[in-house]
Amino acid sequence: MADQPIADVIAALRAQIDQWNYEYHVLDRPTVSDAEYDGAFRQLRELEDANPELVTPDSPTQRIGAAPESGFEKVHHPVPMLSLSNVFGREELDAWAMRGLRAAGTSELPFVTEPKIDGLAVALTYENGALAWGATRGDGTVGENVTENLRTIRSIPLKLRQTEEWAIPERIEVRGEVYMRKADFDRLNERIVEAGGEPFMNPRNSAAGSLRQIDPKNTAARPLSFFAWDIGYIQSGKRPDSHFDTLMMLQAFGFRITLDPKRESSVDEVWDECQRWLERRDTLPFEIDGVVIKVDSYRLQEEMGVVSREPRWATAFKFPAIQKTTVLEDITITVGRTGTLNPTAILQPVNIGGVTVRRASLHNEDEIARKDIRIGDSVVVQRAGDVIPQIVMAIAEKRTGNERVFSMPEHCPVCGSETRRDEGVAMRYCTNTSCPAQLREQLYHFVSRGSLDIAGMGSRLIDRFIDLGWVHDAADLFTLDYEQIAQLEGLGEKSATNLKASVEIAKERPLWRLLNALGIRHVGERTATLLAKRFGSIDGLKQATVEEILSVPGVGAILAQSVYDYFQEPRNLAVIDKLAAAGVSLADQQEESTGPKPLTGLTLVLTGRLADYSRPQAEEALSSLGATVSGSVSKKTSAVIAGEEPGSKVDKAQQLGIPVLGDVELAAILDGSFDLTLIGKE
Ligand code: IVH
């Protein structure tokens, strides 16, 4: 090799390492010793270090890149990533196939079966054979650009293999599943538990968490795998005629594809194959939660089409939950962000379907009492798909008399304050709103994906900030000292800069995210969205009466009271003031707010079924034009708009002499052709 130009030596080393990687990570058939592999890898790295101009992004040394400067960008999927319908038994499978036959207008359907690995779907785009970018499924339309993290997964080829049969297309989007093998998952959890952390509940969660690490170095340290199950689209290249041939093509391009896909010609065959997978499931190195059944021919797939984001040409046969017996060693209490005391079962570790289960959820004290679960009991535990393991029942016959009946603590296990259980609710609460456990959980929630989504601000970092005394409430997250952070062990300049960038982005998030982030009891993403739409700003909501909050469609009495109470609490108001002072946006940039608001000053009440709008649509449209939409008729009401089968509101309006309008008038109000002076507008 000494006489060859350096570029050729480098190319030869890369080809060799790529081949070894492929054999090891895709074929599961290593052909060299670790030492030999490491030697070649080191040699390549040294040559590249000495000749940086020869480094290319598809070199095997380039799997770990830099963290994105400002969190993950959004990626729009050119072809939506659909989801799958489910069937749970033979009858449902038959019914699905019957509907398919009818839609396709044929008497027979060619199927392909393949195992359903429980991970998360991603789309990888290759341009001229090189991995250009990759994204998570997200909501199916928009995902996140996690290219740098995907590049660290060894079973994802950085470049496609040349094949005789298939030319490399200009652009191809390959879809598949990122997952974690059972053994890798167990080992990772062991490490986490040893380090005193919370283990992941299942391989799917741990794969998802690992792929969303802001620094690719962290993802690289997590043992993730990938298999391909379809293509999204091909540009300037031949597309096979069937799903099975697509899998063969992907295999030829160098992907690991779903294990043992099979063509079947009848539902009987499909069902037999489902049963075979069910029997094999425990012996597989990865978790499968069912079998995916697809119609093979693309022509038929097209004829069958898609209904509500689920293709008619595919479905998943979902396996039943697996149950095992173990011993309930203890019940521990964690304190949630709203102060709830959550009982968790600590189990004698038990292998359920190849995964070690150490904990199970117990929901609340009533549930424990109802199932008569005692500490020391033998219990039946079940795991299904990606849900948290559950205790099905205690085996009373196995009792020895040493079991202990559990009762919820009267004092918070974290801060020692009294706990309380209100009438009509199942949960017990810690009464101390500044309980450190609540703060921790509140902050985890505050930065989480459905809230302000601060990339890189993980639970461990939050724990450190709290322990260092740097953070006492959510607002403190916006006034961190990044120079100090850069000095923390394991962080450094780069991580501190990245963190700062994500925190800056979080300041400008839409209002619903902030409302969700605040952790107001009973407010989730959905209600936060409704409240944000209606009130437009924290200030608006702060000033709202219970009645006004209650008038938001979808908001009930308990929720309205809870929102109202939240804004009466001086501690909460202080945090909000601090957020504002730190530059966090407390209002939505509403375009309408600069637009005309012809209905300002009018208070309208809707009742009955409207012809052209749903109630929320009508309310939103009216309030965006400046009207106040109220839930009840009073002297202040300008008009009642009544659809079909109106309630007593019309009677009340008539008693008070308030105009009652209908669908036609509503349409006219919204398109601006209604004479507003008729309902008292000056
Ligand atoms: S095909 C329209 N094939 O299951 C078809 N999905 O529940 C879309 N999955 O989002 C999916 N193994 O994340 C397909 N062999 C397989 C799969 C598979 C696992 C996942 C995938 C998908 C989800 C749907």
Side-chain angles (χ1 to χ4, degrees), residues 33-89:
S33 67
D34 287 0
E36 197 174 341
Y37 178 92
D38 292 344
F41 199 91
R42 212 172 318 116
Q43 200 187 345
L44 174 60
R45 173 152 284 157
E46 282 165 11
L47 287 175
E48 287 183 343
D49 284 350
N51 302 278
E53 72 285 0
L54 297 179
V55 178
T56 56
D58 61 4
S59 169
T61 58
Q62 301 301 303
R63 282 199 177 259
I64 307 181
E69 290 290 332
S70 50
F72 303 119
E73 286 166 34
K74 301 281 178 242
V75 176
H76 193 91
H77 298 299
V79 177
M81 295 185 78
L82 303 171
S83 33
L84 282 177
S85 60
N86 292 322
V87 296
F88 291 91

Side-chain angles (χ1 to χ4, degrees), residues 167-186:
I168 297 216
E170 219 170 86
R171 191 186 270 179
I172 178 171
E173 188 201 87
V174 177
R175 294 178 172 183
E177 205 80 355
V178 169
Y179 65 99
M180 200 176 274
R181 293 170 163 239
K182 293 175 190 168
D184 289 332
F185 166 74
D186 267 354

Side-chain angles (χ1 to χ4, degrees), residues 81-86 113-122 137 175-178 204 227-230 243 247 258 289-294 309-311 313-316 318:
M81 295 185 78
L82 303 171
S83 33
L84 282 177
S85 60
N86 292 322
T113 52
E114 54 199 77
K116 183 168 185 299
I117 297 191
D118 206 10
L120 69 152
V122 298
R137 174 178 184 276
R175 294 178 172 183
E177 205 80 355
V178 169
R204 196 201 120 79
F227 80 88
W229 41 247
D230 206 353
H243 176 62
L247 293 177
T258 71
D289 64 343
V291 178
V292 182
I293 303 146
K294 297 173 187 167
R309 300 183 77 78
E310 289 174 357
W313 46 262
T315 194
K318 286 302 247 330

Side-chain angles (χ1 to χ4, degrees), residues 54-299:
L54 297 179
V55 178
T56 56
D58 61 4
S59 169
T61 58
Q62 301 301 303
R63 282 199 177 259
I64 307 181
E69 290 290 332
S70 50
F72 303 119
E73 286 166 34
K74 301 281 178 242
V75 176
H76 193 91
H77 298 299
V79 177
M81 295 185 78
L82 303 171
S83 33
L84 282 177
S85 60
N86 292 322
V87 296
F88 291 91
R90 176 70 205 244
E91 269 178 33
E92 287 180 23
L93 177 66
D94 283 340
W96 170 79
M98 281 304 290
R99 285 195 300 275
L101 287 172
R102 224 173 300 132
T106 58
S107 59
E108 251 180 34
L109 283 175
F111 299 105
V112 174
T113 52
E114 54 199 77
K116 183 168 185 299
I117 297 191
D118 206 10
L120 69 152
V122 298
L124 310 170
T125 306
Y126 288 80
E127 287 181 325
N128 301 314
L131 176 61
W133 71 87
T136 59
R137 174 178 184 276
D139 64 4
T141 309
V142 177
E144 283 181 314
N145 182 340
V146 287
T147 311
E148 290 305 322
N149 291 346
L150 289 166
R151 288 174 60 90
T152 68
I153 302 174
R154 300 303 167 99
S155 41
I156 293 184
L158 296 181
K159 57 178 195 274
L160 303 179
R161 295 172 75 84
Q162 303 282 346
T163 80
E164 283 185 8
E165 198 181 347
W166 304 98
I168 297 216
E170 219 170 86
R171 191 186 270 179
I172 178 171
E173 188 201 87
V174 177
R175 294 178 172 183
E177 205 80 355
V178 169
Y179 65 99
M180 200 176 274
R181 293 170 163 239
K182 293 175 190 168
D184 289 332
F185 166 74
D186 267 354
R187 233 173 289 133
L188 174 66
N189 258 356
E190 245 163 58
R191 274 202 334 245
I192 293 177
V193 171
E194 269 165 28
E198 277 287 308
F200 285 109
M201 278 296 185
N202 55 50
R204 196 201 120 79
N205 285 359
S206 76
S210 302
L211 196 59
R212 254 185 69 82
Q213 295 290 315
I214 194 84
D215 191 335
K217 271 207 251 24
N218 296 335
T219 305
R222 300 281 178 86
L224 294 172
S225 307
F226 174 81
F227 80 88
W229 41 247
D230 206 353
I231 49 180
Y233 62 92
I234 288 192
Q235 229 169 50
S236 310
K238 190 166 84 176
R239 187 181 165 125
D241 300 327
S242 70
H243 176 62
F244 195 83
D245 289 341
T246 294
L247 293 177
M248 295 304 115
M249 180 183 78
L250 289 171
Q251 192 163 39
F253 280 154
F255 290 94
R256 179 194 278 274
I257 56 164
T258 71
L259 189 62
D260 291 346
K262 284 212 176 64
R263 282 184 149 134
E264 327 278 355
S265 51
S266 69
V267 181
D268 281 339
E269 279 181 30
V270 167
W271 181 247
D272 287 349
E273 185 66 5
C274 288
Q275 299 310 305
R276 268 196 296 276
W277 278 116
L278 193 50
E279 280 160 26
R280 269 181 86 176
R281 110 198 257 199
D282 277 2
T283 66
L284 294 171
F286 42 76
E287 170 107 329
I288 67 173
D289 64 343
V291 178
V292 182
I293 303 146
K294 297 173 187 167
V295 169
D296 193 25
S297 141
Y298 283 154
R299 189 180 55 76

Side-chain angles (χ1 to χ4, degrees), residues 315-326:
T315 194
F317 167 63
K318 286 302 247 330
F319 290 159
I322 329 178
Q323 301 190 338
K324 274 286 176 67
T325 305
T326 187

